[in-house]
Amino acid sequence: MKKYIKKAAALVAMSCILVTGTAACGTPDDTEVAVNMGDRQLTYGFVNFYAQLMQVYYDSFYGMYYGTDFWSMDVSESGDGSETMESNTREEILYELEKMYRLYDHAADYGLSLTDEEIAAADAAGEQFMDENNKTAIKNMTATAEIVAEYLKVSTLASRVEDAILEETDITVTEEDAASRTFSYVEIDLNGTYDYSTGAETEYTDEEKQALTESGDAFAAEAKQGAESDAKVKALAAEDEAKAASGDASGDASGDAADVSDLDSFSALASDYGYTVQTYSYAPDDEDMDEAVIEAADALKEGEVSDPISVSNDDGDYIYVLRLDSEYDEDATASKLEELEEEQRQDHFDEVYEGYQEESDFEVVESVWKKVSFAGMYETKTNIQDDTGTESGDASGDASGDASGDASGNAQTASGDET
């Protein structure tokens, strides 16, 4: 949610929002109720403003790659057109609106509130938005100073509540849970070829599969010999370096040790065979890599190469050959630990939030919600670079200034144009 709020908050701080092309037809009553949520009612004006902020972001980002008709793109997994960019975005907007207000309503539970200065900054940002933006865009966005300020206040406090919930999580995962091993591997596809230009798939014949299998066997056998040679060279280099350090050997062996530090006959041999080497890190209870591959990796010591591993799954038939790179990968372990901690925080947040959802219904008035339109294209003077800010600065969703678009002076730079 925080990234999503940052996108919208960044847009409030963006200079010169314009609308081009055909805007939404007709102007619905901005005071019509679009959503009922307990005692709260969200008007068409507010809901549409939030949706149009998202359109500004999407137009700026996806429009660069897909042109003006990207809203109708098929994004369904089946490719049957059942989901489009627009239908998915509409669902996401409603989800985020609900979450934003439910979290906002629980700010007092965490002793959170906006200061008088933050409230004043949000109000000032709302006025500045109206003063300095294109009037046609403002009308299309159903923006008012009050709506802009309301959005900034609610999103700011909601984001802080989310942070508070995540931070209160009782983290129980340990480094042992995240202890990761890393291996390099080649994957030999026994299924066939795919022509990306035509989309045609051609299955391998039995003879071709046999040839690929024999090639994998030969590669594994050579890779094992290479691994043994690598191990001997590294052991001798380490022995020479130890002697040099103790003064038992003349000369400096550190150069030899450095030369073998990057010794990698596995990758060199794979290249000779036309294989691509990939790496994979895994912790206990890994569920992403095939179980047979993980079992083979567990049986290896650092530097050892496996026998060919035959794998059959829903994607087809494959052969894997592994080389264990590390029995304990510190970087991968640290990354996995962070991932597990984040999963635990998210699980806690989901549990708390589900309780909030049970407090009242979130009822969408479909006859009003369907009036929200993504017609036309928005243009912005400042291009959006990523999910959290713009080229002109960072608007992170804080009405105090560094997230409300800095109401003290960075809300917008107007072009004065009307379309």
Side-chain angles (χ1 to χ4, degrees):
M1 176 183 176
K2 287 181 289 183
K3 285 187 177 181
Y4 200 81
I5 283 178
K6 284 182 178 182
K7 294 177 191 176
L11 295 174
V12 173
M14 182 169 295
S15 59
C16 189
I17 298 177
L18 310 174
V19 62
T20 61
T22 304
C25 297
T27 303
D29 182 356
D30 295 356
T31 64
E32 284 186 284
V33 175
V35 174
N36 288 295
M37 181 177 163
D39 296 333
R40 174 179 284 108
Q41 294 180 324
L42 303 184
T43 66
Y44 169 83
F46 184 88
V47 170
N48 181 64
F49 172 75
Y50 188 80
Q52 298 308 310
L53 277 181
M54 295 306 103
Q55 183 181 349
V56 175
Y57 175 81
Y58 277 63
D59 284 354
S60 298
F61 185 78
Y62 290 104
M64 292 188 298
Y65 300 100
Y66 302 108
T68 60
D69 59 350
F70 69 88
W71 287 106
S72 61
M73 284 194 314
D74 180 8
V75 295
S76 61
E77 291 186 5
S78 60
D80 61 0
S82 59
E83 297 177 52
T84 64
M85 177 71 79
E86 178 175 348
S87 66
N88 275 11
T89 302
R90 293 178 77 90
E91 289 181 10
E92 186 178 7
I93 287 169
L94 290 175
Y95 174 81
E96 294 294 341
L97 276 170
E98 177 184 1
K99 183 188 285 187
M100 187 169 69
Y101 270 100
R102 290 197 186 282
L103 293 176
Y104 173 78
D105 286 342
H106 283 271
D109 297 352
Y110 294 89
L112 297 171
S113 63
L114 298 178
T115 65
D116 292 341
E117 291 78 8
E118 289 171 334
I119 293 172
D123 290 338
E127 295 289 348
Q128 193 169 354
F129 185 95
M130 301 301 294
D131 290 342
E132 299 186 351
N133 262 298
N134 175 272
K135 292 182 179 179
T136 304
I138 286 175
K139 181 179 179 181
N140 206 59
M141 298 174 77
T142 57
T144 66
E146 293 75 19
I147 285 177
V148 175
E150 168 80 355
Y151 162 71
L152 291 171
K153 294 170 187 176
V154 174
S155 64
T156 294
L157 212 48
S159 185
R160 292 177 184 175
V161 173
E162 182 175 15
D163 285 339
I165 296 172
L166 293 171
E167 288 304 315
E168 73 178 2
T169 306
D170 181 18
I171 300 297
T172 59
V173 293
T174 66
E175 188 171 322
E176 184 177 352
D177 298 319
S180 298
R181 293 160 63 92
T182 297
F183 59 83
S184 296
Y185 69 98
V186 297
E187 178 188 73
I188 304 171
D189 186 343
L190 300 180
N191 301 292
T193 60
Y194 179 81
D195 188 334
Y196 288 94
S197 62
T198 64
E201 297 182 45
T202 304
E203 291 187 3
Y204 287 131
T205 64
D206 290 341
E207 291 76 11
E208 288 172 325
K209 290 181 181 180
Q210 181 62 32
L212 288 168
T213 300
E214 291 175 357
S215 176
D217 291 343
F219 168 73
E222 283 194 62
K224 280 190 172 188
Q225 293 178 351
E228 292 173 359
S229 297
D230 289 351
K232 291 178 180 178
V233 172
K234 289 179 180 180
L236 289 173
E239 183 179 339
D240 289 344
E241 187 174 13
K243 289 180 178 179
S246 64
D248 291 341
S250 58
D252 184 5
S254 60
D256 293 334
D259 291 339
V260 301
S261 62
D262 296 324
L263 199 60
D264 187 359
S265 62
F266 185 83
S267 294
L269 183 63
S271 179
D272 291 341
Y273 272 79
Y275 299 147
T276 298
V277 175
Q278 303 177 69
T279 60
Y280 187 81
S281 298
Y282 69 100
D285 301 323
D286 180 273
E287 296 180 351
D288 294 327
M289 180 61 78
D290 190 278
E291 184 177 351
V293 175
I294 296 300
E295 288 180 356
D298 281 339
L300 297 175
K301 294 181 180 179
E302 190 168 311
E304 290 183 342
V305 173
S306 72
D307 291 325
I309 307 155
S310 296
V311 171
S312 295
N313 53 39
D314 293 339
D315 295 326
D317 298 324
Y318 301 87
I319 293 173
Y320 288 82
V321 179
L322 323 178
R323 193 268 313 276
L324 187 67
D325 300 329
S326 175
E327 295 182 36
Y328 179 81
D329 188 322
E330 292 186 4
D331 291 340
T333 297
S335 178
K336 185 63 177 181
L337 181 60
E338 184 177 344
E339 177 187 328
L340 293 175
E341 289 175 348
E342 182 59 31
E343 287 177 0
Q344 202 161 48
R345 289 189 182 93
Q346 190 59 51
D347 288 343
H348 173 69
F349 175 85
D350 291 344
E351 182 179 356
V352 172
Y353 181 67
E354 286 171 7
Y356 294 169
Q357 288 182 298
E358 294 173 359
E359 296 172 353
S360 62
D361 293 330
F362 185 83
E363 300 175 344
V364 179
V365 182
E366 293 295 342
S367 61
V368 178
W369 170 238
K370 71 179 182 181
K371 297 177 183 179
V372 173
S373 170
F374 296 121
M377 284 285 289
Y378 286 102
E379 292 182 358
T380 54
K381 186 175 180 179
T382 306
N383 292 323
I384 299 172
Q385 284 187 320
D386 53 37
D387 286 353
T388 59
T390 68
E391 288 180 345
S392 61
D394 178 24
S396 61
D398 184 344
S400 63
D402 77 323
S404 69
D406 193 346
S408 62
N410 291 330
Q412 259 90 26
T413 300
S415 68
D417 296 334
E418 293 183 34
T419 56

